[in-house]
Amino acid sequence: MAQITLRNLAHSYQPNPGSEADYALKELNHVWEDGGAYALLGASGCGKSTLLNIISGLLRPSHGRILFGDTDVTDAPTAARNIAQVFQFPVVYDTMTVRENLAFPLRNRGMDAGYIKARVDQIAAMIGMEAELSHKARGLTADAKQKISLGRGMVREDVNAILFDEPLTVIDPHMKFELRTQLKSLHREFGHTMIYVTHDQTEALTFADKVVVMHDGRVLQMGTPEELFERPAHTFVGYFIGSPGMNLFDAEISGSRAVIGGVEVALGASYGPMTGRTQIGIRPEFCGLDRDVGLPFRVRRIEDVGRHRIIRGEVMGAPVNITAPEGTEIAADATRILFAPEKINVYADGWRVAPLGEGR
Ligand code: ADP
Ligand code: MG
């Protein structure tokens, strides 16, 4: 196993890329620590599969280097990288039995028969297919075939990393949770570096210790679920993570005050001078209603979702959400919105600005 380093990596599918827009992956530097459980999260088309295929060697990057430990593998073929990859749709040998499919990567490596049998039995138990081991893969459902693909990705213990590219797309919803739990326990047991690609924030936040958020060919932030919630590095992360996402307001920032449409809002920290478009971000969980103080708020509609209520409304014509515990009464004369000052983040041109003194 090894730490994976991406150095000045960029990729364009065009033969002669000109501007940045021609790059599916803009230049990035990134380190995947050995043994980490990562999720790579972003909307469809943001470059997740491109990045994964570059790591596994299916794709050669237009620029930059890939290192496994201290070894440069940029020009090494897929087989030499010792990586297991599971794709969105099943890749199985139809004429082989389930057992033969699962054993395939081990047979290829010349492992002994006793070990192969024991290991395949163990993996079959994880994916819940012990009863079907002697069945031919042909004729199984897409769902069962994808479980075989997952099992085959996990069967080798000696891989540098396991890459999962939206592997649960064709899996039955109730089985998804089960398999995700199995992947987590596999990670705990064997400590492989795992990178799990998904566009679903719940999947990402439940699987991973660290989530890497991508948008439009760029890595915007890598952080724990808590960091992404408390301190989104970019307004997109604030908006993409959470449901509903972070509220954003254009604001003038000076010291520990923000001014929004002429109304002053206290910040939880002090800020130095900044340039560009300045905004504050506050999550719906840290907003409340008031009668007298705060920005003018107009309630549009109230939704009851499980254990909380979402109050959807607007501030100066822009949509804003508040979440409150279930059963919260909303007074008719509550026409102001208040923010918890210490939960406010400040952004300049989309990027979070650290308050004075942070990190010291
Ligand atoms: P994701 O996996 O996040 O959905 P992809 O990495 O598949 O995103 O795609 C990133 C961008 O690169 C998209 O704009 C997509 O259309 C483009 N792209 C992906 N594969 C190819 C390809 N083989 N040839 C040309 N463009 C591609
Ligand atoms: Mg993809």
Side-chain angles (χ1 to χ4, degrees):
M1 287 183 246
Q3 170 176 294
I4 300 171
T5 306
L6 309 178
R7 191 170 290 164
N8 305 119
L9 197 78
H11 188 70
S12 173
Y13 286 100
Q14 298 175 27
N16 298 302
S19 71
E20 256 208 340
D22 294 341
Y23 283 82
L25 219 53
K26 326 283 187 225
E27 184 167 314
L28 69 93
N29 287 282
H30 191 80
V31 175
W32 311 86
E33 297 293 343
D34 188 11
Y38 294 96
L40 188 53
L41 174 68
S44 174
C46 73
K48 305 180 296 296
S49 294
T50 302
L51 185 53
L52 220 58
N53 292 341
I54 287 173
I55 295 172
S56 67
L58 291 175
L59 201 59
R60 197 190 182 288
S62 319
H63 305 287
R65 316 301 304 173
I66 305 140
L67 286 84
F68 287 5
D70 296 326
T71 312
D72 188 322
V73 299
T74 316
D75 296 302
T78 308
R81 297 193 190 190
N82 216 6
I83 279 194
Q85 189 168 3
V86 179
F87 300 92
Q88 194 166 3
F89 298 102
V91 183
V92 296
Y93 304 103
D94 265 341
T95 55
M96 292 186 190
T97 63
V98 174
R99 178 178 292 283
E100 287 163 345
N101 266 288
L102 292 175
F104 194 78
L106 302 177
R107 286 239 175 83
N108 255 351
R109 300 250 147 186
M111 312 297 259
D112 79 73
Y115 170 79
I116 294 178
K117 177 166 188 321
R119 182 68 179 157
V120 167
D121 286 340
Q122 191 182 8
I123 293 294
M126 294 189 99
I127 59 175
M129 292 198 72
E130 299 113 305
E132 285 118 316
L133 275 172
S134 60
H135 295 193
K136 286 261 194 282
R138 181 180 21 238
L140 294 176
T141 61
D143 186 273
K145 286 185 183 178
Q146 183 64 357
K147 283 196 268 172
I148 301 173
S149 296
L150 266 174
R152 225 178 30 209
M154 302 187 294
V155 76
R156 282 177 54 203
E157 296 177 67
D158 60 343
V159 290
N160 278 317
I162 313 180
L163 313 182
F164 300 94
D165 196 348
E166 314 218 26
L168 304 184
T169 308
V170 297
I171 300 280
D172 197 62
H174 79 267
M175 193 67 200
K176 278 188 187 180
F177 177 79
E178 172 74 28
L179 284 173
R180 219 160 54 221
T181 311
Q182 294 286 15
L183 290 183
K184 258 210 110 106
S185 73
L186 180 94
H187 179 259
R188 268 193 293 269
E189 192 174 343
F190 293 99
H192 289 121
T193 308
M194 288 188 178
I195 307 176
Y196 185 104
V197 166
T198 178
H199 61 268
D200 177 333
Q201 59 163 315
T202 310
E203 244 178 49
L205 297 171
T206 52
F207 170 76
D209 303 325
K210 292 241 171 96
V211 179
V212 178
V213 184
M214 281 186 76
H215 178 55
D216 197 17
R218 266 179 242 279
V219 169
L220 294 182
Q221 185 170 13
M222 174 170 80
T224 61
E226 190 194 350
E227 284 162 352
L228 299 180
F229 186 80
E230 295 276 342
R231 290 181 298 284
H234 192 275
T235 50
F236 178 81
V237 179
Y239 156 82
F240 196 68
I241 305 266
S243 66
M246 183 179 255
N247 297 308
L248 288 161
F249 302 90
D250 284 305
E252 288 157 38
I253 311 292
S254 69
S256 57
R257 294 180 313 131
V259 178
I260 300 164
V263 182
E264 199 175 301
V265 169
L267 302 174
S270 209
Y271 292 82
M274 60 190 84
T275 54
R277 179 185 183 187
T278 50
Q279 290 169 289
I280 67 161
I282 180 87
R283 291 206 173 271
E285 290 82 352
F286 307 126
C287 297
L289 284 170
D290 198 88
R291 291 190 174 88
D292 312 309
V293 278
L295 295 169
F297 181 81
R298 176 136 63 132
V299 178
R300 282 283 178 218
R301 104 178 161 263
I302 297 162
E303 294 168 16
D304 285 300
V305 279
R307 317 204 68 169
H308 61 274
R309 311 188 88 180
I310 301 174
I311 305 159
R312 299 193 185 270
E314 55 187 58
V315 171
M316 299 166 187
V320 171
N321 300 305
I322 303 176
T323 52
E326 106 189 285
T328 306
E329 289 302 324
I330 290 120
D333 58 349
T335 55
R336 304 266 168 176
I337 183 171
L338 279 178
F339 310 143
E342 70 281 9
K343 299 295 187 185
I344 296 173
N345 284 287
V346 170
Y347 295 90
D349 286 336
W351 293 97
R352 182 174 179 272
V353 180
L356 299 173
E358 183 177 87
R360 263 184 254 155

